[in-house]
Structure formats: structure tokens, C-alpha cells
Amino acid sequence: MNDDVTVSLEVNRTPVARTVPARTLLVQLLRDELGLTGTKVGCDTSTCGACTVLLDGQSVKSCTLLAAQADGCRLTTIEGLATGDDGRLHALQQAFHERHALQCGYCTPGMIMAATSLLEELPRTPTDRDVRAGLEGNLCRCTGYQHIVDAILAVAAERAGSAAQ
Ligand code: FES
Ligand code: FES
């Protein structure tokens, strides 16, 4: 019996379609079929968050979804976050770079995607506690988290400042 499914979706603003076995996970579609290896696999228990992407603007762990569940959706991975045709870094990418919010970098794509969603969802400028609670599904084994939280708070403060002007 052929259990293949055809999945059509928009990935980083580009329409794509692939026919894959029905059991294919979303993270496998991204990495193995589309070559988007910025999305990482850090566990097999859905706990690390290294595989976090945005599905219709919401952060999801792409190892917990079948590729078929993303059919018709709009997906953003770390490769699609940079803004502008010149590849300018997203504010969060820049802040992580400037504030030393990574060491090995393995968790970083997932952290940045989760933070992107968090900053969109919070109705007010987040506190240190908000950021830590918002990122509780993302693990980092290197940094101790403080620099990650600082980078996210810096972007939030910058946005609040621009909005007030
Ligand atoms: S790979 Fe660890 S939560 Fe998805
Ligand atoms: S920087 Fe190494 S796991 Fe986070």
C-alpha cells in the first residue's frame, strides 16, 4: 500500500510541494527534503525546542508534527527570518550576536524562533520572568540563559522605544 502524501505549503515566502511518506515529520521535511538544516534536532522526546519554527506565525516544535499537518500553512524557519534582500539580520539575530547569547549555537535557531513568536504574542513589554517563562520549552546546555534573556529584552525595549516615538 502506498502511504505517500503530497504536502504543499509556503516556506520562507516560497511555495513548495513534496510527496513524502505519510509518517514524515515536519522537521524531516525541512531538513531532509528542503535542505533547511538551520532547524535542529536536539532530542527525541519533544523537550529541547531546537526544532522550533513558526507555523502560521505561531512557534511550534517541528518534531512534534507530521509534515502533512502543515499542508496549506505558512512556515518560517531561521533561514527565512533575515529581513531584506541584502540578507540583513533580524533584530533578534543581531541582538544574540551582539550580546553573546550563544556558545555552541545548537539551540540558537530554536531560541530565536521561539523568541520571535513570544515578542509578537505578549501584549506588553516583557519582563525577565516573562521571557524565561516563554522560553521554558527551549533548552540551552551552554549559556546559562542570562545572555539569551538579555538579548530578547533588549529587542523588546528597542521596539517599545520605537513605538513610543
Ligand atoms: S528536536 Fe527536541 S523538541 Fe524537537
Ligand atoms: S548555545 Fe549551546 S546549547 Fe545553547
Side-chain angles (χ1 to χ4, degrees):
M1 191 177 78
N2 184 345
D3 71 345
D4 288 355
V5 290
T6 298
V7 184
S8 304
L9 67 170
E10 187 186 300
V11 180
N12 299 334
R13 301 176 287 280
T14 303
V16 297
R18 288 290 187 280
T19 300
V20 293
R23 65 177 180 281
T24 303
L25 297 174
L26 181 56
V27 68
Q28 294 171 323
L29 177 76
L30 292 171
R31 290 179 55 86
D32 302 340
E33 294 289 327
L34 302 177
L36 295 170
T37 54
T39 301
K40 304 299 186 201
V41 176
C43 71
D44 56 11
T45 52
S46 309
T47 49
C48 76
C51 62
T52 304
V53 297
L54 301 183
L55 188 72
D56 289 337
Q58 304 269 317
S59 64
V60 295
K61 292 180 175 179
S62 60
C63 73
T64 65
L65 292 174
L66 293 169
Q69 290 175 282
D71 189 50
C73 294
R74 181 172 43 89
L75 206 91
T76 308
T77 69
I78 191 70
E79 289 90 345
L81 207 60
T83 54
D85 293 335
D86 58 357
R88 204 161 7 101
L89 292 179
H90 183 277
L92 280 164
Q93 292 172 310
Q94 189 66 35
F96 269 58
H97 170 62
E98 287 172 3
R99 290 172 184 265
H100 311 292
L102 61 142
Q103 289 181 26
C104 80
Y106 202 83
C107 70
T108 309
M111 283 286 180
I112 289 181
M113 299 316 286
T116 302
S117 172
L118 179 68
L119 291 184
E120 292 299 322
E121 285 161 19
L122 281 176
R124 55 185 157 75
T125 306
T127 62
D128 183 288
R129 183 180 290 223
D130 291 331
V131 172
R132 288 175 187 275
L135 293 183
E136 66 184 2
N138 290 74
L139 304 181
C140 176
R141 298 186 191 283
C142 303
T143 64
Y145 298 98
Q146 190 59 53
H147 290 258
I148 292 174
V149 174
D150 289 347
I152 296 167
L153 289 174
V155 173
E158 205 173 284
R159 288 185 181 175
S162 317
Q165 283 171 12

